[in-house]
């Protein structure tokens, strides 16, 4: 009998060594010995009746000892297996948190929007407020009130899309100046971004483009104020070492009128392809608001003066990002747009 017990013990030890490769396998193995009905140790108890009465107590004790021993063995086995499986899981699910992450694809704002936002940032920092006008204007706001009456030759400078004899697609954000000056009394300091339209189409002109109008009306506004603001603008957009120069020009609604050049940010003024060897690049039109325009809006031109400027957003962006054809800004080619992420 003792031999049978020893064999079972041996069988258990071998089973643990050879068959118990997982928690599930260990559980199955345990069942073979310790299942209350079919288990080999349980079966031994049933043989009690075949044992001589004087040996029964001893036999019972030995079987119980074996049972206890087996339970301990399987308990330990189960714990070992649990630990091993947990470690395997940790190993397979291991992540290196120091690895660089995969960059998700994100879109970026359109270059014109980026440029518009940058310009708004610069001028908002100087205290300008935004006024957004309408794209459809009447002749009065777009031209007449801006000192450009019907027979004025300056109308030729802006080839206009008329919707009717009275209404048109605004050719310039300057139309907003009149709305603002009719509505508000000085001091006025507004920035007016928006779309404008001209029948014009080549590598640097598009029938629809964007402008950013600036208007300041207050006591004693001079060209010095204009130059100071524009210097600040070019330094923020094209770099700290850039500056501006003013050249005489003509617009009906400003007197004097100036064309503003920025010192070439590509060559630092030495002369290169971008500035066509001159060291300067023309960037915008500006001037001191014509007294007649102030009077048209009911502002006393002896008491107040104003400055105005009109920035072409496409042109500013094309210069900054090295874009040589304005069409690239309107074709929505993702390969082009992806390259310009400045915000
Ligand atoms: N409106 C002018 C243009 O479109 C630009 C400009 C604005 C000039 C303000 C002077 C003052 O060409």
């Amino acid at each position: 009998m003792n031999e049978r017990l020893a064999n079972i013990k041996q069988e258990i030890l071998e089973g643990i060594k050879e068959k118990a490769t997982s928690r599930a396998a260990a559980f199955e193995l345990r069942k073979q010995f310790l299942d209350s009905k079919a288990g080999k140790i349980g079966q031994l108890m049933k043989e009690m009746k075949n044992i001589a009465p004087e040996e029964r107590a001893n036999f019972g004790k030995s079987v119980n000892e074996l049972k206890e021993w087996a339970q301990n063995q399987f308990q330990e086995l189960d714990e070992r297996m649990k630990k091993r499986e947990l470690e395997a899981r940790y190993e397979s699910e291991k992540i290196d948190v120091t690895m660089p992450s995969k960059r998700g694809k994100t879109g970026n704002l359109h270059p014109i929007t980026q440029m518009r936002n940058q310009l708004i940032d610069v001028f908002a920092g100087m205290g300008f407020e935004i006024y957004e006008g309408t794209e459809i204007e009447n002749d009065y706001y777009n031209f007449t009130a801006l000192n450009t009456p019907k027979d004025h030759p300056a109308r030729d400078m802006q080839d206009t899309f008329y919707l009717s004899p009275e209404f048109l697609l605004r050719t310039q954000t300057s139309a907003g100046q009149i709305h603002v000056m009719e509505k508000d009394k000085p001091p006025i300091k507004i920035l007016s971004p928006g779309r404008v339209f001209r029948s014009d189409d080549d590598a640097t002109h598009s029938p629809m483009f964007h402008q950013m109008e600036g208007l300041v009306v207050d006591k004693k506004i001079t060209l010095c104020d204009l130059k100071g603001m524009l210097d600040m603008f070019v330094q923020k957009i094209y770099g700290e070492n850039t500056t501006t120069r003013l050249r005489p020009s003509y617009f009906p609604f400003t007197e004097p009128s100036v064309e503003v050049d920025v010192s070439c940010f590509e060559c630092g003024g030495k002369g290169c392809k971008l500035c066509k060897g001159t060291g300067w690049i023309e960037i915008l039109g500006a001037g001191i608001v014509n007294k007649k325009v102030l009077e048209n809006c009911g502002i006393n031109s002896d008491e107040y003066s104003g400055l105005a400027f009109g920035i072409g957003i496409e042109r500013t962006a094309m210069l900054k990002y090295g874009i040589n054809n304005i069409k690239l800004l309107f074709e929505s080619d993702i390969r082009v747009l992806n390259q310009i992420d400045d915000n």
Side-chain angles (χ1 to χ4, degrees):
M1 213 58 209
N2 279 341
E3 204 178 322
R4 272 188 73 189
L5 296 191
N7 282 344
I8 289 179
K9 213 170 174 173
Q10 189 60 26
E11 240 181 279
I12 291 176
L13 287 173
E14 276 166 17
I16 287 178
K17 225 171 162 185
E18 285 153 25
K19 293 191 200 138
T21 50
S22 69
R23 248 188 122 189
F27 183 74
E28 285 306 316
L29 190 66
R30 185 182 193 280
K31 249 166 60 180
Q32 282 177 28
F33 298 95
L34 287 169
D35 187 87
S36 52
K37 284 186 200 128
K40 287 186 181 170
I41 295 176
Q43 294 290 333
L44 285 176
M45 283 301 201
K46 288 188 183 143
E47 289 179 24
M48 196 71 105
K49 53 183 184 303
N50 307 328
I51 307 278
E54 62 277 16
E55 282 175 25
R56 274 186 198 158
N58 248 342
F59 177 75
K61 202 174 149 223
S62 301
V63 174
N64 272 335
E65 273 169 13
L66 176 65
K67 191 174 167 187
E68 221 169 279
W69 174 85
Q71 278 169 339
N72 284 338
Q73 287 291 317
F74 283 112
Q75 172 91 20
E76 278 168 27
L77 175 68
D78 189 56
E79 268 156 27
R80 275 202 308 279
M81 286 292 139
K82 211 157 125 183
K83 212 171 136 202
R84 217 169 77 182
E85 284 179 14
L86 210 60
E87 273 164 11
R89 202 180 118 199
Y90 287 156
E91 190 59 33
S92 73
E93 290 176 5
K94 195 162 78 175
I95 46 166
D96 181 355
V97 291
T98 64
M99 290 266 285
S101 64
K102 274 190 204 153
R103 281 200 64 184
K105 268 195 185 157
T106 54
N108 51 287
L109 295 174
H110 191 279
I112 293 174
T113 309
Q114 294 184 40
M115 197 72 235
R116 177 184 185 274
N117 290 350
Q118 288 174 33
L119 291 172
I120 288 175
D121 272 358
V122 171
F123 287 103
M126 292 186 240
F128 281 76
E129 283 173 36
I130 304 292
Y131 166 81
E132 287 196 70
T134 52
E135 289 170 8
I136 294 178
E137 277 292 356
N138 66 22
D139 194 274
Y140 178 77
Y141 286 97
N142 195 80
F143 288 125
T144 311
L146 286 162
N147 197 33
T148 322
K150 281 230 152 70
D151 53 358
H152 200 290
R155 286 203 179 199
D156 285 351
M157 288 159 73
Q158 301 177 2
D159 212 344
T160 310
F161 291 112
Y162 280 92
L163 303 172
S164 70
E166 178 63 11
F167 290 102
L168 46 83
L169 294 177
R170 68 175 170 195
T171 60
Q172 49 189 351
T173 44
S174 303
Q177 287 188 26
I178 307 300
H179 289 288
V180 171
M181 286 191 283
E182 280 182 349
K183 191 165 56 77
D184 298 336
K185 294 300 144 214
I188 289 170
K189 205 170 187 186
I190 59 108
L191 195 64
S192 186
R195 285 199 274 205
V196 297
F197 306 83
R198 292 180 199 177
S199 181
D200 219 349
D201 201 3
D202 61 33
T204 51
H205 295 89
S206 155
M208 186 282 290
F209 63 103
H210 298 76
Q211 284 188 331
M212 180 84 74
E213 191 86 6
L215 173 72
V216 181
V217 185
D218 205 344
K219 289 179 176 153
K220 299 196 174 73
I221 293 293
T222 69
L223 276 182
C224 285
D225 299 301
L226 176 72
K227 170 116 170 90
M229 286 174 185
L230 295 179
D231 277 345
M232 172 81 93
F233 147 60
V234 296
Q235 279 156 21
K236 288 266 165 65
I237 300 294
Y238 293 116
E240 265 172 37
N241 297 322
T242 49
T243 179
T244 59
R245 92 178 166 183
L246 310 184
R247 277 182 295 110
S249 183
Y250 176 76
F251 299 101
F253 37 90
T254 46
E255 182 57 36
S257 300
V258 292
E259 208 72 65
V260 180
D261 296 342
V262 59
S263 57
C264 184
F265 40 85
E266 192 83 1
C267 63
K270 283 193 227 71
C272 67
K273 216 171 124 197
L274 185 68
C275 59
K276 301 192 183 88
T278 64
W280 295 94
I281 303 167
E282 186 187 317
I283 50 163
L284 59 97
I288 291 299
V289 179
N290 194 313
K291 278 176 176 257
K292 284 189 196 157
V293 175
L294 295 177
E295 298 294 340
N296 285 344
C297 302
I299 293 175
N300 183 346
S301 62
D302 291 328
E303 198 182 350
Y304 294 104
S305 57
L307 63 84
F309 55 84
I311 303 173
I313 299 184
E314 280 79 358
R315 181 162 171 76
T316 313
M318 284 166 77
L319 288 170
K320 180 158 189 192
Y321 304 125
I323 299 168
N324 59 9
N325 191 324
I326 196 167
K327 301 291 179 296
L328 292 172
L329 290 173
F330 296 111
E331 278 168 354
S332 301
D333 185 335
I334 208 81
R335 292 167 304 179
V336 174
L337 301 180
N338 266 343
Q339 292 177 46
I340 301 162
D341 192 0
D342 211 13
N343 277 17

